[in-house]
Amino acid sequence: MLADIAGQAGALALAHFRVVTPERKHDRTLVTAADREVEAFLVSALRPVFPGAGMVGEEGTRTASTDGTHLVIDPIDGTAAFVAGLPTWCVCFGLLRGGDPVVGVVHMPVTGETSIAIDGQAWVGDNALPALRADAVPPGDAFVLAHAKSHVRHHLRYPGKVRSLGSTAYHIALVAQGVAEAALLGRVYVWDLVGPLALLRAVGGDAVTLGGAALDLAGMLDGSRSPDFAVAAARARLPELLPLLGAP
């Protein structure tokens, strides 16, 4: 059901892809008619699935919770990539129970790939994701993913390659899949995190600030950004990777 809903949302976004006119929000990030249309659809489609959940959407949805959970929606994560005509944007949403992401969906409309996590189990399509291993050797060149301004805001000492694909949620999902070693994130919002972090935590990963502090997802439900840049990786690798990605 969740994959079907994400697929329908992705189809709505694809109808606007490469034919959309962007606007600037108050924080200078981009927004489009597609973002608003997809969020409205997801709110309507997901409300019966999670009837007691409060809803928090990037484009302004705010409803109260009656059961202590919150459904957090990013209708198009990577709007700048979407506007630029790049295929590396996604539809993502997740359920936060207290401060824990327990359900997550990251759907890539251009490729049709859907990643889902439910209560500690994660899949890409029909394939279960294995636990991340600290000693895993990448099949090709080792790389990390990074936000678009990382080259001017961080002193990167990572010895492998650095790639930026334009979507925080997709970056985290690729770490969860074991494709990338880590993702260096910007000062992110809760809607960037809940869906993909459910995937990452299901396979033994997490995201922390560059200083190593936990992210307070429940405290970010008011729309505030994370207090610092963050890093997503296998938990066992975080102490080794943080100094290489800009931590003091």
Coordinates of all heavy atoms in Angstrom, one line a residue, residues 79-137:
T79 N 14.3 19.5 -4.6 CA 13.5 20.3 -5.6 C 14.5 21.0 -6.5 O 14.2 21.2 -7.7 CB 12.7 21.3 -4.8 OG1 11.7 20.6 -4.0 CG2 11.9 22.2 -5.8
A80 N 15.7 21.4 -6.0 CA 16.6 22.1 -6.9 C 17.1 21.1 -8.1 O 17.2 21.5 -9.2 CB 17.8 22.6 -6.2
A81 N 17.3 19.9 -7.7 CA 17.6 18.9 -8.8 C 16.4 18.7 -9.7 O 16.6 18.6 -10.9 CB 18.0 17.5 -8.1
F82 N 15.2 18.6 -9.1 CA 14.0 18.5 -9.9 C 13.9 19.7 -10.9 O 13.6 19.5 -12.1 CB 12.8 18.5 -9.0 CG 11.4 18.4 -9.6 CD1 10.9 17.2 -10.0 CD2 10.7 19.6 -9.8 CE1 9.6 17.1 -10.6 CE2 9.4 19.5 -10.3 CZ 8.9 18.3 -10.8
V83 N 14.1 20.9 -10.5 CA 14.0 22.1 -11.3 C 15.1 22.1 -12.4 O 14.8 22.5 -13.5 CB 14.1 23.3 -10.5 CG1 14.2 24.6 -11.3 CG2 12.8 23.5 -9.6
A84 N 16.3 21.6 -12.0 CA 17.4 21.5 -13.0 C 17.2 20.4 -14.0 O 18.0 20.4 -15.0 CB 18.7 21.3 -12.2
G85 N 16.2 19.6 -13.9 CA 16.0 18.5 -14.8 C 16.9 17.2 -14.5 O 17.0 16.3 -15.3
L86 N 17.5 17.2 -13.3 CA 18.2 16.0 -12.9 C 17.3 14.9 -12.4 O 16.2 15.2 -11.8 CB 19.2 16.4 -11.8 CG 20.3 17.4 -12.2 CD1 21.1 17.8 -11.0 CD2 21.2 16.9 -13.3
P87 N 17.6 13.6 -12.5 CA 16.7 12.6 -12.1 C 16.8 12.2 -10.7 O 16.1 11.3 -10.2 CB 17.1 11.4 -13.0 CG 18.6 11.6 -13.2 CD 18.8 13.1 -13.3
T88 N 17.7 12.8 -9.9 CA 18.0 12.3 -8.5 C 17.2 13.0 -7.4 O 17.7 13.4 -6.4 CB 19.5 12.5 -8.3 OG1 19.9 13.9 -8.6 CG2 20.3 11.5 -9.1
W89 N 15.9 13.2 -7.6 CA 15.0 13.7 -6.6 C 14.1 12.6 -6.2 O 14.0 11.6 -6.9 CB 14.2 14.9 -7.2 CG 13.6 14.7 -8.5 CD1 14.2 14.8 -9.7 CD2 12.2 14.2 -8.8 NE1 13.3 14.4 -10.7 CE2 12.1 14.1 -10.2 CE3 11.2 13.9 -8.0 CZ2 10.9 13.6 -10.8 CZ3 10.0 13.5 -8.5 CH2 9.9 13.3 -9.9
C90 N 13.4 12.7 -5.1 CA 12.5 11.6 -4.6 C 11.3 12.2 -3.9 O 11.3 13.3 -3.5 CB 13.3 10.7 -3.8 SG 14.0 11.4 -2.2
V91 N 10.4 11.3 -3.7 CA 9.2 11.5 -2.9 C 9.5 10.7 -1.6 O 9.9 9.5 -1.6 CB 7.9 11.0 -3.5 CG1 6.8 11.0 -2.5 CG2 7.6 11.7 -4.8
C92 N 9.4 11.4 -0.4 CA 9.7 10.6 0.8 C 8.7 11.0 1.9 O 8.3 12.2 2.0 CB 11.1 10.7 1.2 SG 11.6 12.3 1.9
F93 N 8.4 10.0 2.7 CA 7.6 10.3 3.9 C 8.0 9.2 5.0 O 8.5 8.2 4.7 CB 6.1 10.3 3.6 CG 5.6 9.1 2.9 CD1 5.2 8.0 3.6 CD2 5.5 9.1 1.5 CE1 4.6 6.9 3.0 CE2 5.0 8.0 0.9 CZ 4.5 6.9 1.6
G94 N 7.7 9.5 6.2 CA 8.0 8.6 7.3 C 7.1 8.9 8.5 O 6.6 10.0 8.7
L95 N 7.1 7.9 9.4 CA 6.3 8.0 10.6 C 7.2 8.1 11.8 O 8.1 7.2 12.0 CB 5.4 6.8 10.8 CG 4.4 6.8 12.0 CD1 3.3 7.9 11.7 CD2 3.8 5.5 12.3
L96 N 7.1 9.1 12.6 CA 7.9 9.3 13.8 C 7.0 8.9 15.0 O 5.9 9.5 15.2 CB 8.3 10.8 13.9 CG 9.4 11.2 14.8 CD1 10.7 10.5 14.4 CD2 9.5 12.7 14.9
R97 N 7.5 8.0 15.8 CA 6.8 7.6 17.0 C 7.7 8.1 18.2 O 8.8 7.6 18.4 CB 6.7 6.1 17.1 CG 5.9 5.6 18.3 CD 5.8 4.1 18.3 NE 5.0 3.6 17.2 CZ 5.3 2.5 16.5 NH1 6.3 1.7 16.8 NH2 4.5 2.1 15.5
G98 N 7.2 9.1 18.9 CA 8.0 9.8 19.8 C 9.2 10.4 19.1 O 8.9 11.3 18.2
G99 N 10.4 10.0 19.3 CA 11.5 10.6 18.6 C 12.1 9.6 17.6 O 13.2 9.8 17.0
D100 N 11.5 8.4 17.4 CA 12.0 7.4 16.6 C 11.3 7.2 15.3 O 10.1 7.1 15.2 CB 11.9 6.0 17.3 CG 12.7 6.0 18.6 OD1 13.8 6.6 18.7 OD2 12.2 5.5 19.6
P101 N 12.1 7.2 14.1 CA 11.4 7.0 12.8 C 11.2 5.5 12.7 O 12.1 4.7 12.7 CB 12.5 7.5 11.9 CG 13.8 7.4 12.6 CD 13.5 7.5 14.0
V102 N 9.9 5.0 12.6 CA 9.6 3.6 12.6 C 9.1 3.2 11.2 O 9.0 1.9 11.0 CB 8.6 3.3 13.7 CG1 9.2 3.5 15.0 CG2 7.3 4.1 13.6
V103 N 8.7 4.1 10.4 CA 8.3 3.8 9.0 C 8.9 4.8 8.1 O 9.0 6.0 8.4 CB 6.7 3.8 8.8 CG1 6.3 3.7 7.4 CG2 6.0 2.8 9.7
G104 N 9.4 4.3 6.9 CA 10.0 5.3 6.0 C 9.8 4.8 4.6 O 9.9 3.6 4.3
V105 N 9.6 5.7 3.7 CA 9.5 5.4 2.3 C 10.3 6.5 1.5 O 10.1 7.7 1.7 CB 8.0 5.5 1.8 CG1 7.9 5.2 0.3 CG2 7.2 4.4 2.6
V106 N 11.1 6.0 0.6 CA 11.9 6.9 -0.3 C 11.6 6.3 -1.7 O 12.1 5.2 -2.1 CB 13.4 6.9 0.0 CG1 14.1 7.8 -1.0 CG2 13.6 7.4 1.4
H107 N 11.0 7.1 -2.6 CA 10.6 6.6 -3.9 C 11.3 7.5 -4.9 O 11.1 8.8 -4.9 CB 9.1 6.7 -4.1 CG 8.6 6.4 -5.5 ND1 8.8 5.2 -6.1 CD2 8.0 7.2 -6.4 CE1 8.3 5.2 -7.3 NE2 7.8 6.4 -7.5
M108 N 11.9 6.9 -5.9 CA 12.6 7.6 -7.0 C 11.7 7.5 -8.2 O 11.7 6.5 -8.9 CB 14.0 7.0 -7.2 CG 14.9 6.9 -6.0 SD 15.3 8.5 -5.4 CE 16.3 9.2 -6.7
P109 N 11.0 8.6 -8.6 CA 10.0 8.4 -9.7 C 10.7 8.2 -11.0 O 10.1 7.5 -11.9 CB 9.3 9.8 -9.6 CG 9.4 10.2 -8.2 CD 10.7 9.8 -7.8
V110 N 11.8 8.8 -11.3 CA 12.4 8.6 -12.6 C 12.9 7.2 -12.8 O 12.7 6.6 -13.9 CB 13.6 9.6 -12.8 CG1 14.3 9.4 -14.1 CG2 13.1 11.0 -12.7
T111 N 13.5 6.5 -11.8 CA 13.9 5.2 -12.0 C 12.9 4.1 -11.5 O 13.0 2.9 -11.9 CB 15.2 4.9 -11.2 OG1 14.9 5.1 -9.8 CG2 16.3 5.9 -11.6
G112 N 11.9 4.6 -10.8 CA 10.9 3.6 -10.2 C 11.3 2.9 -9.0 O 10.6 2.0 -8.5
E113 N 12.5 3.2 -8.4 CA 13.0 2.5 -7.3 C 12.3 3.0 -6.0 O 12.2 4.2 -5.8 CB 14.5 2.7 -7.1 CG 15.1 2.0 -5.9 CD 16.6 2.3 -5.8 OE1 17.4 1.6 -6.5 OE2 16.9 3.2 -5.1
T114 N 11.8 2.0 -5.2 CA 11.2 2.4 -3.9 C 11.9 1.6 -2.8 O 12.0 0.4 -2.8 CB 9.7 2.0 -3.9 OG1 9.1 2.7 -5.1 CG2 9.0 2.5 -2.7
S115 N 12.3 2.4 -1.8 CA 12.8 1.8 -0.5 C 11.8 2.0 0.6 O 11.3 3.1 0.7 CB 14.2 2.4 -0.2 OG 15.1 2.3 -1.2
I116 N 11.6 0.9 1.4 CA 10.6 1.0 2.5 C 11.2 0.4 3.7 O 11.9 -0.6 3.7 CB 9.3 0.3 2.1 CG1 8.6 1.0 0.9 CG2 8.4 0.2 3.3 CD1 7.4 0.3 0.5
A117 N 10.9 1.0 4.9 CA 11.3 0.4 6.2 C 10.1 0.5 7.0 O 9.3 1.4 7.1 CB 12.4 1.3 6.8
I118 N 9.8 -0.7 7.7 CA 8.7 -0.8 8.7 C 9.2 -1.5 9.9 O 9.6 -2.7 9.8 CB 7.5 -1.5 8.0 CG1 7.0 -0.8 6.8 CG2 6.4 -1.7 9.1 CD1 5.9 -1.5 6.1
D119 N 9.2 -0.8 11.0 CA 9.5 -1.4 12.3 C 10.8 -2.2 12.3 O 10.9 -3.4 12.7 CB 8.4 -2.3 12.8 CG 7.1 -1.5 13.2 OD1 7.3 -0.3 13.7 OD2 6.0 -2.0 13.1
G120 N 11.9 -1.6 11.8 CA 13.2 -2.3 11.9 C 13.5 -3.2 10.7 O 14.6 -3.8 10.8
Q121 N 12.7 -3.3 9.7 CA 13.0 -4.1 8.5 C 13.0 -3.2 7.3 O 12.1 -2.3 7.2 CB 12.0 -5.3 8.4 CG 11.9 -6.2 9.5 CD 13.2 -7.0 9.7 OE1 13.8 -7.5 8.7 NE2 13.6 -7.2 10.9
A122 N 13.9 -3.4 6.4 CA 14.0 -2.5 5.2 C 14.1 -3.3 3.9 O 14.8 -4.3 3.9 CB 15.1 -1.5 5.4
W123 N 13.6 -2.7 2.9 CA 13.6 -3.4 1.6 C 13.9 -2.3 0.5 O 13.5 -1.1 0.6 CB 12.3 -4.0 1.2 CG 11.8 -5.1 2.1 CD1 12.0 -6.4 2.0 CD2 11.1 -4.9 3.4 NE1 11.4 -7.1 3.1 CE2 10.8 -6.1 3.9 CE3 10.6 -3.7 4.0 CZ2 10.1 -6.3 5.1 CZ3 9.9 -3.9 5.2 CH2 9.7 -5.2 5.7
V124 N 14.5 -2.7 -0.6 CA 14.5 -2.0 -1.8 C 13.8 -2.8 -2.8 O 14.2 -3.9 -3.2 CB 15.9 -1.6 -2.3 CG1 15.8 -0.9 -3.7 CG2 16.7 -0.8 -1.3
G125 N 12.6 -2.4 -3.3 CA 11.8 -3.3 -4.1 C 11.4 -4.5 -3.3 O 10.9 -4.4 -2.1
D126 N 11.6 -5.7 -3.8 CA 11.3 -6.9 -3.1 C 12.5 -7.5 -2.3 O 12.4 -8.5 -1.7 CB 10.9 -8.0 -4.1 CG 9.5 -7.6 -4.7 OD1 8.7 -6.9 -4.1 OD2 9.3 -8.0 -5.9
N127 N 13.7 -6.8 -2.4 CA 14.9 -7.3 -1.8 C 15.1 -6.7 -0.4 O 15.2 -5.4 -0.2 CB 16.1 -7.0 -2.7 CG 15.9 -7.6 -4.0 OD1 15.6 -8.8 -4.2 ND2 16.2 -6.8 -5.1
A128 N 15.3 -7.5 0.6 CA 15.6 -7.1 2.0 C 17.0 -6.5 2.0 O 17.9 -7.0 1.4 CB 15.4 -8.2 3.0
L129 N 17.1 -5.4 2.8 CA 18.4 -4.8 2.9 C 19.2 -5.5 4.1 O 18.6 -5.6 5.2 CB 18.3 -3.3 3.2 CG 17.9 -2.4 2.1 CD1 17.8 -0.9 2.6 CD2 19.0 -2.4 1.0
P130 N 20.4 -5.9 3.8 CA 21.2 -6.5 4.9 C 21.8 -5.5 5.9 O 21.8 -4.3 5.5 CB 22.3 -7.2 4.1 CG 22.5 -6.4 2.9 CD 21.2 -5.9 2.5
A131 N 22.2 -5.9 7.0 CA 22.8 -5.0 8.0 C 24.1 -4.4 7.4 O 24.8 -5.1 6.7 CB 23.1 -5.7 9.3
L132 N 24.4 -3.2 7.7 CA 25.7 -2.6 7.2 C 26.8 -3.2 8.0 O 26.7 -3.4 9.2 CB 25.6 -1.1 7.5 CG 24.6 -0.3 6.6 CD1 24.6 1.2 7.1 CD2 24.9 -0.4 5.1
R133 N 27.9 -3.4 7.3 CA 29.1 -4.0 7.9 C 30.2 -2.9 7.9 O 30.5 -2.3 6.9 CB 29.6 -5.2 7.2 CG 28.7 -6.4 7.3 CD 29.1 -7.6 6.4 NE 30.6 -7.8 6.5 CZ 31.3 -8.5 5.6 NH1 30.7 -9.1 4.6 NH2 32.6 -8.6 5.8
A134 N 30.9 -2.8 9.1 CA 31.9 -1.8 9.2 C 33.1 -2.2 8.3 O 33.9 -1.3 7.8 CB 32.4 -1.7 10.6
D135 N 33.3 -3.5 8.0 CA 34.4 -3.9 7.2 C 34.1 -4.1 5.7 O 34.8 -4.7 5.0 CB 35.1 -5.1 7.8 CG 34.1 -6.3 7.8 OD1 32.9 -6.1 7.6 OD2 34.5 -7.5 8.0
A136 N 32.9 -3.7 5.3 CA 32.4 -4.0 3.9 C 33.3 -3.2 2.9 O 33.7 -2.1 3.1 CB 31.0 -3.5 3.7
V137 N 33.7 -3.9 1.8 CA 34.5 -3.3 0.8 C 33.6 -2.9 -0.4 O 32.8 -3.8 -0.9 CB 35.6 -4.3 0.3 CG1 36.4 -3.7 -0.8 CG2 36.5 -4.7 1.5

